Amino acid sequence: MRKGILSLTAAAAAMTLGLTACGSEGGDTGAQASPAPGESKPAAAGKIGVILPDSKSSARWETADRKYLEEAFKAAGVAYDIQNAQGDKTQFQTIADQMITNGATVLMIVNLDSGTGKAVLEKAKSQGVATIDYDRLTLGGGAAYYVSFDNTKVGTLQGEGLVKCLTDKKAEKPIVAYLNGSPTDNNATLFKNGYDGVLKPKFDAGEYVKGPEQSVENWDNTKAGTLFEQMLTEKPDIAGVLAANDGLGNAAITVLKKNKLNGKVPVTGQDATVQGLQNILAGDQCMTVYKAIKKEAEAASALAIGLAKGEKPAATGTVKDTESGADVPAVLLDPQPIFFESVKDVVADGFVTKEELCTGDFAAKCTEAGIQ
Ligand code: BGC
């Protein structure tokens, strides 16, 4: 699927081309500060619109992506507007229309599904607005750039993580259940390709047993809980859960707790959320996948800033759009698996703080896990 992912150098170089900081506070001021005496006037940059998908399917969108994108835009002194569609596809389109009307020259989206994403991208392009797919590729959308992580690798790490935890528990012929991500999210397909690549050979060899599988619409954590409850009723001896992110993992853990099975049945995750990391510290979650969202936001904002200034910034590789067959210029970053011993790496990277993680009963666990 993916070819020629080189390094971040090009995006980083584009980043350094950003304007000098001129403090566009509040996110939607469109302000451009005048240069200090003696400085040359910075080139006028267009306005960057960003649409985030929701605030429930993962904590990341509001706690990490918004924060890091904002930091990058402020540092570059460009005008920007970041909004969240709160899972509403009509609202998503309305926000996009408003951004274009208000003079956005670059639109960066995390689609809610490829259909509405495509409509938004096509409208933007028809009005001369440059487009970026952020984190999720819009199939058939034809965005000028795509910035994300290697999402198949995310899934591979989840599959390998579950195998490690089942091996540690000396599980014999474990029944493995799947809680996949949203069927409308191309990333969910890539994650599944990744973990299937690790687990399917084990099912085929009779080493593991394939248990119940469900895709969770819109990554809805509440629905995931209901689905997992049904799975456990149907197969009470589920011995491992491949959950596609920390929210889905937590839904399964809540059900396992009710059945006094938490800690016995390893569960995977993704996003290194505070909740996911605490579940790992408690021994209820086997692993998560840490994606350095700061780097993702920096790479995407570097491209957006370059486009806003009328440049043609360089990507580091391409990904194949499986619907249109196009090679989309892309920057893909490397995800990292996190287990009990490596929770401290996420803290050291500044993604979560010791204060938010090591609360109450978790303080002792944090010490045990070497979190300084
Ligand atoms: C993102 C994940 C996130 C999920 C739910 C995916 O597209 O890559 O990081 O957990 O959406 O929001």
Side-chain angles (χ1 to χ4, degrees), residues 125-314:
K125 283 188 288 178
S126 75
Q127 314 225 4
V129 175
T131 50
I132 300 175
D133 268 334
Y134 181 65
D135 202 72
R136 298 178 181 165
L137 184 68
T138 303
L139 295 178
Y145 295 94
Y146 175 50
V147 178
S148 193
F149 285 81
D150 178 342
N151 291 309
T152 308
K153 178 149 181 215
V154 169
T156 306
L157 296 175
Q158 292 172 320
E160 289 171 353
L162 189 63
V163 170
K164 177 187 173 327
C165 296
L166 287 167
T167 309
D168 288 352
K169 291 199 180 306
K170 302 194 169 46
E172 275 178 44
K173 294 209 175 191
I175 298 179
V176 174
Y178 277 12
L179 276 176
N180 303 320
S182 182
T184 56
D185 180 350
N186 182 56
N187 285 347
T189 309
L190 300 176
F191 302 148
K192 182 170 149 68
N193 287 346
Y195 47 78
D196 261 346
V198 177
L199 297 172
K200 204 170 166 295
K202 297 207 173 277
F203 298 139
D204 292 346
E207 229 182 292
Y208 287 11
V209 179
K210 178 80 192 280
E213 164 169 10
Q214 291 285 347
S215 294
V216 184
E217 232 177 285
N218 304 323
W219 296 88
D220 183 319
N221 294 190
T222 312
K223 274 190 197 148
T226 311
L227 289 170
F228 190 70
E229 192 118 45
Q230 287 162 1
M231 288 184 183
L232 201 61
T233 309
E234 182 193 325
K235 282 256 181 266
D237 45 358
I238 287 172
V241 184
L242 194 308
N245 79 355
D246 285 352
L248 304 187
N250 188 65
I253 288 166
T254 307
V255 177
L256 289 169
K257 276 183 182 161
K258 272 203 260 170
N259 290 275
K260 301 205 167 21
L261 287 169
N262 56 310
K264 296 187 180 129
V265 176
V267 178
T268 63
Q270 168 179 196
D271 288 344
T273 58
V274 169
Q275 184 181 61
L277 294 171
Q278 288 182 333
N279 280 337
I280 294 178
L281 290 173
D284 293 339
Q285 185 170 326
C286 145
M287 59 89 67
T288 186
V289 177
Y290 172 50
K291 303 191 293 190
I293 292 170
K294 187 168 195 280
K295 291 206 180 89
E296 186 181 19
E298 282 173 357
S301 51
L303 292 173
I305 292 160
L307 288 168
K309 291 161 67 186
E311 295 162 1
K312 203 174 178 302

